[in-house]
């Protein structure tokens, strides 16, 4: 069945490829590997193994760039950089941009219209007219003189524009987004960098939009552009040398600089430690992913040469590999992993060095200089793998890995080699993205260089002399996996089994033999004849006769007679003494606990024998949770957790934890008892959210309290803010849940803000919090006019009189409107006829001309105000009268009153409040010949306006204060509303208008007398 599945998968892959090409569906362009946040070495198109070499072409010594490819109409084209071997003076420094046919490698054209060096990859971008163009930078090498030129040409090498850039060198490719080009240049003198520049350039014209200085060199790192930000990595570069690692350069710290995209201004810098050399950040799924080497530098004093007695100070470096996922908004670390540092037999350690991560689906893939590939699964942090390249006597046979990835495969060029291994050759490989297993490989002619490109029906890669083109292969191909098996430690006297697989990665059959010469190992078979289905070889090792403490390496030669290929599988292990398992304690009793809680206890695993102890742990009860299921080590602490959420009340439970190891077995008994059930608080919902609320509205919400246990649940409700009013402040619940209403008075809350509060629910069954959030939208403009009536008293004919009318906006926004006069008032004039105000009140001058008026008469008119915040009218009264005496008589508790001796009936009698006589506001005001008005109209009264002549009084309901002509005074008793009527203190009103007031205690009579002008 398995053979059938493998065969069907291969057939379907071949069919899908033929359908793709036969239908003329174009595969995606490969525009730019480094610095492009939407590419980063990933392709949705893939070529399953095996591959075959279609052609290779001499390229000289290529730079640190890559092949880019695109469709020119219906024609595919490749673009890359070759060394200009025609110039014998400096072939390693001269270079040229070439365009090739993808299927043959034939050169279509060359472009060398520059005198400098092409160090980075060209970039393909599309202009506004839909035509594709190429961008690339010619630059002097760091420390040399020359100009940095940014070139823009079309796909036929016609120059569109050129732009000279400031700086000493440029090792990065430009980034292009929304018609703008972003590129950094570096300043480099005397072996170290001291700054740089960041540019934004118009892609259509080459015009520089802005240029800003950088704190250090953007060495080999393209700008990352997203949202309204530009991110650049700046490295503090210094010259280095080979010191046991092939460094080429040091840097002592580097930072990210974040710039405003619109003007290039520096927003902030972020430092994640001494990130060494080039970092290639990528943006993927709203997060930034980086990989790199963090270095710690310290000073040591050593004798040099040894035995000379001379001591010198040396700077040493301690590297730490890491991979990080960063929040692009605040640059905080979401997730960080520290890959292990692999140490070879020669003492060389791996370092993640100058490699950008690649994201394919859930996988983050990173290569290291010393021959490791690390893969982390974002959806499952426990799912990861490492791929170790073959090791030689001088260390890893591959450094500076170059990769590309598709959905299922990683295409890997093992890259440079150590400097003392000039005869080594790079390998081009395909490995499985899910587990790192090698599926296919090909030996290149020289050490590798540059990147890997997936385009159309082809995969391209470089070594130091050639550009290679691979396509789907049909020949037979020996495949072996794994080729390195490290069994770690094996106790003496124990038999250990391991396995490897052999299969045909090409077409037809492969036939061969398996050979080894170790008497302490047996193998399940010594020959194979395979198609694509793998054959598994079981290797059994008996350590009875082996030496404790010694490391053994067993080479197994897999010899394919069909293709002449050979592969060696190396099995490595170390013989140790016999470990012995000890687990303490052997019993854990959690005692009596509440149901629904989690309890924890420690359990210790120790090796009281020799060697390394390793094993696995299981539990026979789901409520008994163990921290991990496998371990390796001679002392481990295990946390045992009792999860009581699914257990029954008033019962005892017992579980067993079993330990199986290479040092024996053990068992730990776990006991727990669940208490009798009591009340348990449950509140829902725990959030009340109100949005887009109008200020002044009365808002209500509801939440429920339920008893999820037994017995009676009792408690109290405690709101954190006074603007929260609850329907009840306590509860007692046995069975049915109860609802509680939350009332919110929005007049106590600020406008255009979100205000939060909490309601603490405390009970004998636990505590909960109900979070309340309310967003008040801003009020519209609201018109307010003071005073409501303008009085011109004691006027004489043929004179001018003036008063001030105030228009205010007690809402938000702009209040605008018009001021007009009723048509029957030719004697009335206003100083302004329209207005537009926001917060400051507007004062309008009102003039009365009494020419032609008759003494002893009165005249009335209206000022009409219309606005987008409501309309209102202001009465204007002009009185030409003589002085008259008036008398007002009132009796406490009686609805009878007299004004100038004439009886009047009151709606409600006067009364005494705290020693002060309170009278109906409208009656007393009109008796004084005043105008009374209330605000707001048609709703609950908040303010009272009483106007007589030039006197203007404002009283506030429930407040011990008043305004007399805008000057504040204190009251003994405030105005108040009683039985739907508004009452005011009579003595205060009388004294304001100059009246005399007398009190008769026997008859409880109040007499007020005044002269009315």
């Amino acid at each position: 069945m398995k053979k059938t599945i493998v065969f069907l998968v291969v057939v379907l892959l071949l069919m899908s490829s033929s359908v793709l090409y036969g239908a003329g569906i174009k595969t995606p362009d490969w525009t730019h590997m480094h610095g492009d946040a939407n590419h980063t070495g990933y392709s949705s198109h893939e070529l399953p193994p095996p591959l075959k070499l279609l052609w290779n072409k001499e390229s000289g010594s290529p730079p640190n760039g890559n092949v880019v490819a695109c469709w020119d109409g219906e024609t595919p084209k490749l673009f890359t950089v070759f060394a200009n071997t025609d110039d014998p003076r400096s072939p390693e420094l001269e270079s040229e941009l070439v365009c090739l046919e993808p299927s043959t490698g034939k050169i279509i054209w060359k472009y060398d219209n520059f005198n400098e060096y092409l160090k980075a990859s060209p970039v393909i971008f599309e202009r506004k007219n839909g035509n594709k163009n190429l961008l690339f930078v010619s630059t002097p090498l760091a420390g040399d003189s020359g100009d940095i030129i940014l070139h823009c040409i079309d796909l036929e090498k016609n120059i569109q524009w050129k732009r000279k850039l400031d700086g000493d060198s440029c090792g990065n490719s430009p980034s292009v987004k929304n018609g703008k080009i972003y590129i950094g240049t570096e300043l480099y003198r005397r072996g170290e960098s001291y700054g740089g520049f960041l540019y934004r350039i118009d892609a259509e014209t080459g015009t520089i939009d802005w240029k800003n200085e950088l704190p250090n060199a953007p060495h080999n790192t393209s700008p990352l552009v997203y949202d309204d930000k530009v991110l650049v990595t700046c490295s503090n570069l210094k010259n280095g040398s080979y010191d046991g690692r092939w460094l080429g350069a040091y840097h002592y710290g580097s930072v990210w600089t974040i710039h405003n995209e619109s003007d290039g201004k520096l927003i902030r810098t972020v430092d994640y430690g001494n990130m060494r050399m080039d970092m290639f950040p990528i943006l993927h799924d709203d997060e930034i992913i980086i990989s790199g080497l963090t270095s710690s530098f310290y000073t040591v004093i050593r004798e040099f040469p040894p035995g000379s007695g001379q001591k010198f100070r040396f700077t040493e470096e301690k590297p730490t590999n890491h991979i990080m996922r960063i929040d692009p908004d605040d640059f905080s670390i979401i997730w960080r992993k520290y890959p292990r540092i692999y140490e070879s037999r020669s003492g060389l350690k791996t370092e993640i060095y100058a490699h950008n991560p690649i994201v394919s689906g859930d996988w983050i893939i990173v290569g290291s200089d010393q021959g490791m590939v690390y893969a982390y699964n974002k959806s499952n942090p426990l799912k990861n793998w490492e791929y170790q390249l073959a090791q030689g006597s001088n260390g890893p046979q591959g450094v500076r890995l170059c990769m590309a990835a598709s959905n299922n495969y990683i295409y890997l060029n093992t890259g440079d080699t150590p400097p003392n291994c000039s005869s080594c050759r790079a390998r081009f490989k395909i490995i499985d993205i899910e587990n790192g297993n090698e599926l296919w490989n090909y030996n290149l002619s020289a050490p590798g260089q540059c990147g890997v490109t997936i385009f159309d029906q082809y995969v391209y890669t470089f070594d130091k002399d050639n550009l290679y083109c691979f396509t789907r292969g049909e020949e037979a191909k020996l495949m072996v996996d794994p080729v390195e098996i490290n069994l770690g430690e094996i106790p003496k006297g124990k038999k250990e089994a391991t396995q490897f697989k052999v299969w045909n990665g090409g077409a037809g059959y492969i036939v061969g033999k398996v050979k080894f010469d170790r008497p302490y190992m047996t193998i399940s078979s010594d020959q194979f004849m395979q198609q694509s289905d793998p054959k598994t070889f079981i290797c059994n090792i008996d350590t009875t006769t082996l030496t404790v403490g010694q490391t053994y390496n067993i080479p197994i030669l897999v010899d394919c007679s069909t293709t002449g290929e050979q592969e060696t599988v190396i099995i490595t292990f170390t013989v140790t003494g016999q470990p012995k398992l000890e687990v303490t304690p052997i019993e854990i009793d959690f005692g009596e606990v509440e149901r629904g809680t989690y309890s924890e206890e420690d359990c210790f695993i120790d090796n009281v024998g020799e060697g390394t102890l390793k094993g696995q742990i299981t539990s026979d009860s789901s409520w008994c949770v163990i921290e991990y299921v496998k371990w390796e080590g001679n002392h481990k602490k295990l946390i045992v957790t009792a999860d009581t959420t699914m257990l029954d009340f008033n019962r005892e439970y017992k579980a067993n934890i079993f330990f199986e190891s290479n040092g024996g077995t053990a068992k730990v008994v776990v006991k727990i008892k669940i208490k009798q059930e009591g009340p348990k608080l449950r509140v829902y919902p725990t959030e009340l959210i109100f949005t887009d609320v109008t200020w002044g509205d009365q808002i209500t919400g509801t939440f429920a309290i339920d008893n999820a246990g037994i017995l009676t649940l009792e408690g109290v409700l405690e709101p954190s803010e006074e603007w929260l009013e609850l329907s009840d402040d306590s509860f007692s619940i046995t069975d049915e849940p109860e609802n509680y209403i939350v009332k919110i008075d929005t007049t106590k809350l600020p406008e255009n803000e979100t205000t939060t509060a909490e309601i603490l629910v405390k009970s004998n069954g636990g505590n909960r919090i109900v979070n309340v959030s309310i967003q008040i939208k801003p009020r519209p403009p609201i018109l307010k006019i003071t005073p409501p009536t303008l009085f011109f008293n004691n006027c004489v004919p043929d004179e001018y009189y003036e008063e001030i009318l105030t228009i205010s906006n007690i809402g938000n926004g702009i209040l605008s409107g018009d001021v007009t006069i009723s048509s029957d008032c030719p004697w009335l004039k206003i100083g302004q006829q329209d207005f537009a105000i926001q917060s400051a009140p507007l004062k309008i001058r009102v003039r009365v001309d009494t020419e032609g008026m008759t003494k002893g008469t009165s005249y009335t008119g209206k000022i009409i105000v219309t606005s987008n915040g409501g309309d209102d009218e202001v009465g204007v009264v002009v009185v030409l009268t003589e002085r008259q005496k008036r008398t007002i008589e009132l009796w406490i508790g009686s609805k009878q009153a007299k004004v100038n001796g004439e009886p009047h009936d009151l709606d409600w009698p006067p009364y005494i409040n705290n020693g002060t006589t309170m009278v109906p506001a409208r009656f007393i005001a009109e008796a004084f010949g005043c105008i009374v008005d209330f605000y707001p109209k048609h709703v609950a009264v908040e303010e009272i306006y009483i106007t007589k002549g030039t006197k203007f009084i404002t009283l506030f309901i429930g407040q011990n204060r008043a305004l007399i002509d805008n000057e504040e005074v204190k009251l003994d008793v405030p105005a108040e509303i009683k039985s739907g009527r508004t009452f005011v203190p009579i003595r205060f009103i009388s004294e304001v208008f100059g009246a005399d007031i007398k009190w008769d205690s026997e008859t409880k009579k109040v007499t007020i007398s005044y002269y009315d002008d």
Side-chain angles (χ1 to χ4, degrees), residues 526-546:
D526 64 351
Q527 58 186 351
F528 56 87
M529 184 175 70
Q530 301 301 120
Q531 286 184 294
S532 60
D533 56 309
K535 179 174 182 176
T536 301
F537 291 84
I538 308 297
C539 305
N540 293 289
I541 301 169
D542 186 354
T543 64
T544 303
T545 61
L546 303 185

Side-chain angles (χ1 to χ4, degrees), residues 63 66-68 78-84 94-100 107-114 116-124 133-138 151-158:
N66 196 15
V67 174
V68 295
L78 297 183
F79 305 95
T80 190
V81 178
F82 281 176
N84 186 355
E94 298 291 336
S95 52
E96 58 192 2
L97 181 68
V98 295
C99 173
L100 305 96
I107 295 179
I108 301 173
W109 51 255
K110 296 181 180 180
Y111 178 89
D112 56 1
N113 190 9
F114 49 86
E116 306 299 342
Y117 178 62
L118 297 185
K119 187 176 180 182
S121 304
V123 177
I124 299 170
N133 278 190
L134 287 170
L135 283 174
F136 53 95
V137 181
S138 60
H151 303 254
C152 178
I153 65 174
D154 64 17
L155 301 190
E156 301 298 329
K157 79 168 183 178
N158 297 309

